[in-house]
Amino acid sequence: MPSPAGHGVGFVGLSIAAIAALMTFSLHKIEEGHVGVYYRGGALLTSTSVPGYHIMIPFITTFRSVQTTLQTDEVKNVPCGTSGGVMIYFDRIEVVNVLSVSAV
């Protein structure tokens, strides 16, 4: 017959494993030069987070990291039409921008 103390150890071990699993899904990191934005149920929340480690509600809340430092975006092979019907193709267009943290 197993001792009652054995059931307590199993319950504690299972509880610790469950808490560790929830922490794995709730802890996330926002890198330097980025801001974290959060969604709950698909709706954008008003709160943002600064770089560092943060905790969120797992499986209900999701996050995206938005870059706020200097970035260069590139578009290739852009067709443009003139009013005279002539097609011009730009091989490459580069856009350099910095997103303000207050605009996120």
Side-chain angles (χ1 to χ4, degrees):
M1 181 171 161
S3 67
H7 291 295
V9 172
F11 177 73
V12 170
L14 184 62
S15 298
I16 291 173
I19 290 171
L22 283 176
M23 286 300 292
T24 300
F25 291 111
S26 64
L27 186 66
H28 62 280
K29 181 180 179 183
I30 304 297
E31 297 288 338
E32 187 68 34
H34 291 74
V35 172
V37 294
Y38 296 91
Y39 297 89
R40 186 166 298 142
L44 180 64
L45 301 179
T46 57
S47 62
T48 60
S49 60
V50 295
Y53 288 98
H54 302 278
I55 296 177
M56 63 183 178
I57 301 170
F59 310 114
I60 296 173
T61 305
T62 58
F63 82 99
R64 295 287 184 261
S65 186
V66 178
Q67 184 177 352
T68 56
T69 56
L70 182 72
Q71 66 181 13
T72 302
D73 297 315
E74 185 177 288
V75 182
K76 294 183 178 183
N77 299 325
V78 179
C80 294
T82 65
S83 60
V86 178
M87 289 297 293
I88 302 171
Y89 290 90
F90 292 96
D91 292 332
R92 182 178 69 176
I93 298 175
E94 288 186 358
V95 178
V96 179
N97 64 341
V98 176
L99 180 62
S100 172
V101 174
S102 62
V104 175

